[in-house]
Amino acid sequence: LKEAQIISQAMGKDVSFQFTVVALEQATCSSYDLVLLGIPGDDDFEDTKRPCVAVRVMDFRHRVILLWSINKMLHRLREMRQMHQYLSRPDYLKHFRLEDPFTEPCLPQCSLVGEATIPLAAVFEARVHDFSIEIVSTYTFEAMGVIRLSLEPSSAQAPYSVIKFNVVMHDMVGFAEHEGTDVHTRMSIPGVDENGGASSTQMISGFNEDPIRFDSIHSMSVPLDGKRSTCLLVSVFAKVTPMHMEKLLSWDEMRESNQLDDIRRMQNEPEARIAESNFFRQEPHDVFAKVKILEMSENGKYVPVDVDQVSNVDVGTYQLRQGLQRRIVVNLAYSSAESLQWKEVKSIRVGDLRLYDIRASIPQPDQPNAYISLKLVQKPHFVENGNGMKELTVSGQWDSSLHGSSLLDRPTADNYHVQISLSIDVVSSRLEEPMTFTLDQNLQIRPRSWLRPQSMFKQLWKTARIVHTTSGIFSALLKPISAKRATDVWRINSQQDYVKGEEELVGWKPRGASLIQDFYEIQKKQRRGREVENVKILLKRHIDDIPLTAADGHIPISTDQEQLLTRFVRLWRTKSASAPPAEKSGQTELDTAPVPSGTVPPRLQAVVHFVPKNPCVLKSSYILAPTTSTLEPLRWQRHFAELRPPYLHIYAVPSGDEVTVINLRNARIDTDPPVKKLLHSERVGGNCWAVYGAMNTWLFAARSEIQKAEWVLAIDRYFAGGNGIGS
């Protein structure tokens, strides 16, 4: 949320983001917008369990307030990053058809400003009852006005199983026109009329600061066997003004201001610092995967299969021979061994066979086939290199006949590929479930007697490159599982995490746990208000049964009645054991939360995404890098490098196989590393530089000072603009 606010402010979008809570039956769109503009209601929250935390989007330019789910916010944030990334390159941005991620393609005209719930007990009693109910803001959870309405029986004919009643809307006070105009209400009965039956009043304008007079009657119905606790939901919509939006921003700032910090600042008392080990944070990691398929040769040994690559972004196509025994070798490299803590490989699976037409780029699925688990040839092998990278290598025996598919049993036609999915499950001691890495591999089945053409002319005009491995990049995000206890909520708080550019945010803070507290407080207050209204209806029904008072003003009661009333009063005054303890003024959650010295690390869950290779190459040339093996003396080795933001791809020479990738996001470039004095060589001289990443450090060298400057400038030119890298 903080990153979205920073990007919005940097691009001058006049859009403010903030957390909010969407109630169980809260309406998100006006009936006028649903009918006249064809806006698809609250489909965004259709699969979301309510009440839930959502994002309030205030568009000052279009004067509208929107509600986004967390999933939609994450999707839009990726589009915001891409648009902000290419902001300084309009010649490159014009090739993308990016819609504005800060708003909607079809904007509503009215915004939800408040709601009220009215109990329908009087409807089941067939009585007339007048209400004066507070309208509660759905964003501040404070009363913003009072609405007056009446419920009365209806004389219209209705089926026996339905009770018809009328809602007489009188007026609403407390909402001025300088905060919003075209005010109207939407009435619905949650849980009863999902398929229709909602009614709306007319849009009222020109009321200035006077009461908003609706003066309308609306006919509604409830099932005869419905629950007596059924309520009428009245949602107030309006075309809000910037003044109303500024009012909401001021409330958020005031609610999140910490008075305790102000007191400490006045008394010059240092703030207590909590160690980072006591917090549960999300951990991003990069995993580089390499796949190699081996086939048995004539001498009984398994040799790597040729992979044809027609372009730099092409994954490659394995040239398999028909009917041979095969093995699949998977190598996973990562630089965060202490964080991932991999223990073993649970399984390697192959499945999801598809026939892929190269010309049409359309996969043609084969008959449904399950994944086949490969038998491991040997135990997974862990190796730690000298540069801090740790590699996991596992090999499995692949019997393609177990799939029962003709795609793997017969030669593949020209211009077609067979695409399979290769999945590997890795168990970590910190995760509840294994991490699953899935790579799509392209195959071409050749006859057993097939030989690669050796003609000189064909080799001259051939554009394909022959390698022996395919590779892919995975982004693994380790997230702590939701806290089981309320006292552990503060541990997963990421409010204080630094985001580049947050120093430009003045007067804006993301809402914290106070938002949830305010929501539950107003829910409790509204529930008590409904109980009071139900009691009023009950007393009104039995008003005739109450005896008249005596001349002295007391009601004559018997001894048994007096004892019963005395018992009720005593129970009423008894303090409930389940009541929450009263908090001291000025005390925050961090003060009440215990900070144990030996905190048990939380169980995490992993979200793994495949990262496709960026087709844009900013810089490519040969560079030198020190060897990483700990078994041989240190020497400079020649590699080919490509800068495809945000990764730097390193290839082996002369085989062309991709060796590793380096994530340059949140990295730092050092053009004069101190370690170069220890690695001084006549081959590289002083033309070396270092890349300091989040988990590791890499050292490179160029043939000349000019080539070194070109690499450093190419990296700075792209990343220094706003992706968290500097030199």
Side-chain angles (χ1 to χ4, degrees):
L1 189 76
K2 190 186 298 183
E3 184 179 0
Q5 184 70 20
I6 293 172
I7 297 176
S8 173
Q9 184 170 329
M11 300 182 65
K13 288 295 183 178
D14 292 334
V15 178
S16 177
F17 300 93
Q18 190 55 268
F19 286 121
T20 187
V21 176
V22 178
L24 182 62
E25 301 294 346
Q26 178 176 325
T28 58
C29 192
S30 169
S31 298
Y32 290 94
D33 293 327
L34 290 174
V35 176
L36 299 180
L37 301 180
I39 297 178
D42 55 353
D43 294 341
D44 188 23
F45 297 93
E46 185 175 356
D47 299 332
T48 305
K49 185 178 179 181
R50 298 191 191 181
C52 63
V53 176
V55 177
R56 182 195 70 200
V57 184
M58 293 197 302
D59 191 343
F60 283 84
R61 187 171 301 174
H62 299 94
R63 299 186 178 185
V64 67
I65 302 176
L66 306 173
L67 291 177
W68 289 354
S69 64
I70 298 298
N71 292 333
K72 184 175 182 178
M73 180 66 195
L74 295 175
H75 175 71
R76 292 296 183 92
L77 180 59
R78 288 192 289 267
E79 296 180 356
M80 294 177 193
R81 290 170 179 166
Q82 188 175 12
M83 180 175 289
H84 186 249
Q85 178 178 347
Y86 299 126
L87 186 63
S88 59
R89 304 180 62 191
D91 55 335
Y92 193 74
L93 185 62
K94 66 182 181 181
H95 298 287
F96 295 90
R97 293 183 178 179
L98 297 177
E99 296 182 354
D100 191 356
F102 297 91
T103 184
E104 299 290 346
C106 185
L107 282 173
Q109 296 182 357
C110 302
S111 305
L112 178 66
V113 295
E115 287 183 341
T117 54
I118 292 91
L120 298 180
V123 174
F124 294 97
E125 298 291 340
R127 293 179 178 272
V128 178
H129 194 73
D130 300 329
F131 293 90
S132 293
I133 302 294
E134 289 183 345
I135 296 293
V136 177
S137 173
T138 53
Y139 310 116
T140 64
F141 304 118
E142 294 289 329
M144 52 165 291
V146 177
I147 190 169
R148 294 194 311 111
L149 57 88
S150 301
L151 299 180
E152 58 183 24
S154 175
S155 58
Q157 294 183 355
Y160 177 76
S161 60
V162 173
I163 301 177
K164 298 282 290 187
F165 67 97
N166 294 331
V167 181
V168 183
M169 299 293 297
H170 298 299
D171 55 24
M172 172 182 168
V173 296
F175 189 78
E177 194 168 12
H178 58 259
E179 293 189 34
T181 186
D182 288 345
V183 180
H184 60 282
T185 63
R186 180 177 183 265
M187 291 154 288
S188 61
I189 304 177
V192 176
D193 53 358
E194 291 90 346
N195 297 326
S199 180
S200 299
T201 62
Q202 293 183 351
M203 293 184 176
I204 307 299
S205 60
F207 52 86
N208 201 3
E209 296 184 358
D210 298 330
I212 306 172
R213 303 196 61 84
F214 299 106
D215 294 334
S216 59
I217 301 177
H218 307 268
S219 178
M220 306 189 73
S221 62
V222 292
L224 181 62
D225 56 350
K227 297 182 180 179
R228 296 302 187 266
S229 59
T230 305
C231 296
L232 175 69
L233 178 64
V234 179
S235 305
V236 181
F237 292 87
K239 294 181 180 179
V240 296
T241 61
M243 180 177 292
H244 181 75
M245 299 182 184
E246 292 289 349
K247 183 179 178 181
L248 298 180
L249 293 179
S250 300
W251 172 266
D252 296 334
E253 182 180 357
M254 179 188 65
R255 192 66 181 88
E256 289 303 316
S257 61
N258 194 343
Q259 299 180 359
L260 186 60
D261 292 343
D262 298 337
I263 297 175
R264 288 173 176 172
R265 194 178 297 109
M266 294 175 60
Q267 298 177 355
N268 294 326
E269 294 183 3
E271 298 182 3
R273 181 182 179 275
I274 302 178
E276 287 79 2
S277 59
N278 290 320
F279 289 94
F280 301 155
R281 293 282 189 258
Q282 294 185 356
E283 303 175 9
H285 302 281
D286 292 305
V287 178
F288 177 66
K290 291 189 297 183
V291 179
K292 181 165 51 176
I293 298 181
L294 309 178
E295 286 185 343
M296 180 174 288
S297 61
E298 297 178 354
N299 56 8
K301 296 182 179 180
Y302 285 91
V303 295
V305 176
D306 292 345
V307 181
D308 290 353
Q309 291 182 345
V310 297
S311 64
N312 291 332
V313 294
D314 182 25
V315 178
T317 304
Y318 287 94
Q319 305 297 318
L320 304 182
R321 286 180 171 84
Q322 187 180 13
L324 296 183
Q325 297 185 17
R326 304 183 185 95
R327 290 181 180 179
I328 298 180
V329 180
V330 181
N331 179 272
L332 300 178
Y334 54 99
S335 59
S336 49
E338 297 181 357
S339 299
L340 293 180
Q341 297 181 8
W342 286 351
K343 295 170 51 180
E344 60 179 355
V345 176
K346 184 178 180 180
S347 65
I348 303 180
R349 295 169 290 120
V350 176
D352 194 15
L353 276 65
R354 302 176 298 276
L355 184 61
Y356 196 91
D357 190 348
I358 302 176
R359 297 164 298 181
S361 299
I362 299 177
Q364 302 176 6
D366 191 24
Q367 297 178 355
N369 55 86
Y371 277 83
I372 303 300
S373 297
L374 307 186
K375 180 181 178 181
L376 299 184
V377 178
Q378 56 185 2
K379 293 183 178 180
H381 183 54
F382 291 89
V383 175
E384 187 169 355
N385 297 327
N387 61 351
M389 296 287 292
K390 194 168 185 179
E391 296 184 5
L392 166 63
T393 305
V394 59
S395 177
Q397 192 76 30
W398 182 29
D399 187 357
S400 58
S401 62
L402 296 178
H403 295 278
S405 175
S406 59
L407 297 179
L408 299 178
D409 297 337
R410 64 185 181 186
T412 307
D414 294 337
N415 298 322
Y416 282 91
H417 289 167
V418 178
Q419 193 174 78
I420 64 173
S421 293
L422 174 64
S423 299
I424 176 172
D425 301 326
V426 184
V427 178
S428 172
S429 59
R430 301 182 61 196
L431 300 178
E432 288 285 345
E433 298 180 353
M435 302 177 65
T436 302
F437 303 92
T438 302
L439 271 174
D440 290 336
Q441 304 294 321
N442 298 326
L443 315 175
Q444 274 190 332
I445 308 300
R446 301 293 188 179
R448 182 173 297 187
S449 59
W450 176 81
L451 295 176
R452 186 177 295 277
Q454 301 296 330
S455 174
M456 182 181 301
F457 293 100
K458 290 185 177 181
Q459 294 293 333
L460 182 63
W461 297 103
K462 188 176 181 180
T463 59
R465 182 177 59 179
I466 301 176
V467 295
H468 295 90
T469 60
T470 58
S471 59
I473 308 171
F474 292 93
S475 175
L477 182 63
L478 305 186
K479 301 190 300 183
I481 300 177
S482 301
K484 301 298 183 181
R485 299 180 301 172
T487 54
D488 291 338
V489 173
W490 64 275
R491 297 187 183 276
I492 59 177
N493 180 22
S494 60
Q495 188 175 11
Q496 303 300 327
D497 290 355
Y498 177 76
V499 179
K500 184 177 180 180
E502 69 175 54
E503 56 273 1
E504 302 295 334
L505 299 179
V506 180
W508 182 92
K509 285 185 178 180
R511 292 296 302 269
S514 62
L515 176 67
I516 311 299
Q517 296 172 357
D518 295 344
F519 173 75
Y520 281 117
E521 286 295 330
I522 196 59
Q523 291 285 316
K524 184 190 301 182
K525 184 179 179 180
Q526 289 179 333
R527 183 174 62 253
R528 291 176 178 176
R530 292 192 295 269
E531 293 174 354
V532 170
E533 294 296 335
N534 289 333
V535 172
K536 287 182 180 179
I537 298 172
L538 180 64
L539 294 177
K540 187 176 182 181
R541 184 179 63 180
H542 299 285
I543 192 67
D544 297 334
D545 300 335
I546 299 178
L548 298 176
T549 59
D552 55 357
H554 294 281
I555 301 176
I557 58 177
S558 62
T559 304
D560 295 339
Q561 291 176 342
E562 184 178 0
Q563 293 178 356
L564 184 60
L565 292 176
T566 303
R567 181 183 178 186
F568 282 156
V569 172
R570 185 173 65 253
L571 293 175
W572 189 274
R573 293 178 178 178
T574 303
K575 185 177 180 180
S576 176
S578 60
E583 296 184 359
K584 299 180 181 180
S585 59
Q587 195 174 29
T588 62
E589 296 177 2
L590 293 181
D591 299 326
T592 59
V595 184
S597 56
T599 305
V600 179
R603 302 293 291 178
L604 305 176
Q605 58 183 359
V607 180
V608 181
H609 294 287
F610 176 75
V611 181
K613 183 180 291 187
N614 190 347
C616 178
V617 180
L618 297 186
K619 172 69 177 175
S620 62
S621 68
Y622 291 97
I623 59 175
L624 301 176
T627 54
T628 60
S629 177
T630 57
L631 303 178
E632 59 182 13
L634 182 66
R635 60 185 179 86
W636 291 93
Q637 193 171 7
R638 188 166 175 254
H639 295 278
F640 185 79
E642 289 181 342
L643 178 58
R644 299 175 181 267
Y647 294 98
L648 179 65
H649 299 258
I650 308 297
Y651 300 88
V653 176
S655 64
D657 294 328
E658 192 168 6
V659 178
T660 186
V661 293
I662 301 173
N663 191 349
L664 296 179
R665 187 180 287 115
N666 299 324
R668 188 173 67 88
I669 307 299
D670 190 357
T671 58
D672 189 20
V675 73
K676 75 176 185 179
K677 298 179 180 179
L678 301 177
L679 301 176
H680 182 70
S681 171
E682 296 181 356
R683 186 178 182 184
V684 299
N687 305 325
C688 60
W689 73 93
V691 178
Y692 301 111
M695 293 290 181
N696 207 343
T697 302
W698 295 268
L699 192 66
F700 300 102
R703 289 292 187 181
S704 62
E705 188 69 25
I706 297 177
Q707 188 181 14
K708 169 187 171 181
E710 290 177 352
W711 271 105
V712 174
L713 290 177
I715 296 175
D716 278 346
R717 190 187 315 124
Y718 186 83
F719 290 95
N723 286 318
I725 187 170
S727 61

